Amino acid sequence: MNNTDTFFGAIQSGNKEQVETLLKSNPDLVNAKDARGFTPLIFASYFDKEAIVKTLIEHNAPIDTTDASGNTALIGVSFKGNIALAAYLIRSGAHVNVKNSNGTTPLIFASMYNQQDMVALLLEHKADKGLKDNEGKIALDYAKEKGFGDIVGFLE
């Protein structure tokens, strides 16, 4: 197992101490990518490892780096609904209007997956309701299609 595999294994298992030790010995690990193109920050965010996300950001993890699909850490948490983690990423400089390779924004994902609190958080931080994805749809279109009335109310 190489250092990168060990590092991603420590992130997935939530071993903050091992993550810190590996970063001290090799600070460039913060910029590593796994076989699927995930950065440590995206990986930790996806698995809701809040303490490790904070450690990575303290070690200068690039906040808006993308995976192979163009997703950032904030895009990843927006459809899962981890409000605390999303708020931390935004406070740390994550761009709320970033788009992935499909043109999907955090707001569109939150709307597609009925994440009402996430929609509210993103709007509070100036998410642009009018941004279109590659299909020409905005967040409101997805909320209407899926019948998510509360989200429609936020977005109209």
Side-chain angles (χ1 to χ4, degrees):
M1 187 178 269
N2 68 34
N3 219 13
T4 301
D5 291 340
T6 302
F7 186 59
F8 278 92
I11 292 169
Q12 187 169 12
S13 67
N15 189 334
K16 182 180 176 225
E17 293 74 27
Q18 186 179 17
V19 168
E20 289 174 341
T21 299
L22 288 164
L23 283 171
K24 284 178 186 161
S25 66
N26 185 356
D28 288 339
L29 282 172
V30 79
N31 297 307
K33 291 202 175 190
D34 73 2
R36 294 167 297 188
F38 291 145
T39 65
L41 186 61
I42 291 169
F43 194 73
S45 297
Y46 186 81
F47 287 106
D48 295 324
K49 305 294 184 185
E50 293 180 42
I52 292 177
V53 166
K54 291 176 181 179
T55 297
L56 291 166
I57 289 174
E58 288 166 5
H59 282 86
N60 302 311
I63 195 86
D64 283 325
T65 298
T66 59
D67 65 14
S69 299
N71 293 311
T72 64
L74 182 59
I75 289 174
V77 300
S78 66
F79 75 89
K80 294 183 75 183
N82 187 328
I83 301 301
L85 189 50
Y88 181 78
L89 290 167
I90 292 167
R91 283 193 310 272
S92 298
H95 292 96
V96 297
N97 292 313
V98 66
K99 290 183 172 189
N100 70 10
S101 57
N102 294 320
T104 310
T105 65
L107 184 62
I108 289 173
F109 263 134
S111 298
M112 290 171 80
Y113 288 92
N114 201 24
Q115 298 294 341
Q116 296 174 33
D117 293 338
M118 185 66 68
V119 168
L121 174 73
L122 293 166
L123 291 173
E124 178 183 317
H125 288 279
K126 311 290 187 241
D128 185 342
K129 297 187 278 187
L131 290 178
K132 294 179 181 178
D133 65 11
N134 294 354
E135 293 182 26
K137 294 180 179 180
I138 60 174
L140 179 60
D141 296 329
Y142 288 102
K144 283 181 176 179
E145 283 175 13
K146 294 186 179 248
F148 299 148
D150 289 338
I151 292 179
V152 169
F154 283 136
L155 296 173
E156 284 188 322

